């Protein structure tokens, strides 16, 4: 009787081990398939049911947060809504996360966001870190000064001139190349830089003309001078190795332009139709 009991016990233990091993194998297979799915950015977004986009919160006309309502509005925001609608069929299936010129690539690479739509200029240096969509907006770098300023353009900048720019932007790099004698002061974001200009901490502020126009609308005591001295084509950035997501974004841009919706958005936010 005792031997029979021992034999039964051994059989039960063996069966239990097999069940545990089978369970472990099933979990491992699920994790592997999940990893494969995560590698496809577009599929991961569809499974999640939400597109997460990094946008500016301090850039009037493109992405500006209303402190009273908490709502973020602008040209970039409407582009993000269009991408969400194309991918998920509903523009409200969109989560916006604040980025700055300094933080946006890091947040993308860390997986905090699916894409960057934040007045981001396409450059060869950035192409080493991210993949860009087709150009969705053409801007150019310029200078913003207070009315009556003796500064009329790049040629007016001297060693005594303080030019304000934003950290991590192509504008800061460009102004150092174009006006090497001028003193360049960098700030965390555009609003801080504009506040510094209004407080007299600098003589001019430089970035893309599209962003400067937003500042001018905030305070008409400031004007753009000297015209554009660079070309700044904006692109939507995604992680490298996500061709399906990139294609979906490019398809969205093409659809917006072919339908005439792009022209409407451009005129709504910039005041003019695109050239």
């Amino acid at each position: 009787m005792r031997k029979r009991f021992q034999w039964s016990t051994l059989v039960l233990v063996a069966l239990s081990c097999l069940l545990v091993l089978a369970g472990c194998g099933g979990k491992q297979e699920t994790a592997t398939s999940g990893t494969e799915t995560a590698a496809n950015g577009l599929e991961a977004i569809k499974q999640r049911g939400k597109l997460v986009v990094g946008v500016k919160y301090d850039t009037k006309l493109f992405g500006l947060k209303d402190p009273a309502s908490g709502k973020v509005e602008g040209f970039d925001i409407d582009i993000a809504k269009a991408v969400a609608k194309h991918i998920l069929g509903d523009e409200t299936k969109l989560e916006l996360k604040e980025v700055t010129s300094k933080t946006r690539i890091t947040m993308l690479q860390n997986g905090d966001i699916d894409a960057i739509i934040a007045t981001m200029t396409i450059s060869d240096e950035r192409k080493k870190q991210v993949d860009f969509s087709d150009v969705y907006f053409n801007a150019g770098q310029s200078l913003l000064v207070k009315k009556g300023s003796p500064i009329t353009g790049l040629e007016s900048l001297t060693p005594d001139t303080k030019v304000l720019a934003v950290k991590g932007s192509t504008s800061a790099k460009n102004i150092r190349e174009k006006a090497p004698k001028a003193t360049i002061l960098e700030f965390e974001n555009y609003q801080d830089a504009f506040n510094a200009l209004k407080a007299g901490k600098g003589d001019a502020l430089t970035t893309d003309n599209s962003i400067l126009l937003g500042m001018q609308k905030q305070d008409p005591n400031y004007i753009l001078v000297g015209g554009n001295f660079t070309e700044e084509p904006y692109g939507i950035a995604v992680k490298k190795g996500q061709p399906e997501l990139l294609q979906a974004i490019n398809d969205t841009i093409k659809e917006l332009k072919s339908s005439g919706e792009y022209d409407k958005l451009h005129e709504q936010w910039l005041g003019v139709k695109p050239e």
Side-chain angles (χ1 to χ4, degrees), residues 11-143:
V11 170
L12 286 171
V13 170
L15 286 171
S16 298
C17 289
L18 287 172
L19 286 171
V20 170
L21 288 171
C24 291
K27 287 180 182 178
Q28 187 174 3
E29 185 179 349
T30 303
T32 302
S33 61
T35 303
E36 290 172 354
T37 300
N40 183 336
L42 182 61
E43 187 60 33
I45 292 166
K46 288 180 177 179
Q47 288 190 9
R48 187 196 311 139
K50 179 175 65 176
L51 174 70
V52 184
V53 177
V55 299
K56 298 277 184 70
Y57 277 23
D58 67 338
T59 308
K60 190 173 178 65
L61 305 183
F62 284 83
L64 186 67
K65 185 175 182 177
D66 185 332
S69 66
K71 192 174 182 181
V72 188
E73 294 181 313
F75 184 79
D76 281 350
I77 309 306
D78 285 346
I79 295 295
K81 289 178 180 178
V83 175
K85 186 176 181 179
H86 178 86
I87 294 174
L88 299 168
D90 186 346
E91 68 173 33
T92 66
K93 292 182 177 180
L94 173 69
E95 179 181 346
L96 302 175
K97 286 192 177 183
E98 182 180 11
V99 299
T100 66
S101 298
K102 184 180 177 181
T103 65
R104 55 193 172 189
I105 290 180
T106 301
M107 288 179 67
L108 180 67
Q109 292 177 334
N110 287 346
D112 298 323
I113 53 179
D114 299 312
I116 301 168
I117 308 180
T119 63
M120 190 170 181
T121 301
I122 300 170
S123 70
D124 289 338
E125 184 177 347
R126 287 173 176 165
K127 284 180 181 178
K128 296 174 184 177
Q129 299 174 284
V130 301
D131 284 337
F132 280 105
S133 69
D134 296 335
V135 176
Y136 76 93
F137 188 87
N138 281 298
Q141 189 169 342
S142 189
L143 295 169

Side-chain angles (χ1 to χ4, degrees), residues 208-226:
D208 303 342
N209 62 336
S210 51
I211 298 171
L212 296 178
L213 283 169
M215 296 176 183
Q216 185 181 17
K217 285 195 174 185
Q218 282 182 285
D219 191 335
N221 290 313
Y222 292 83
I223 58 173
L224 276 70
V225 296

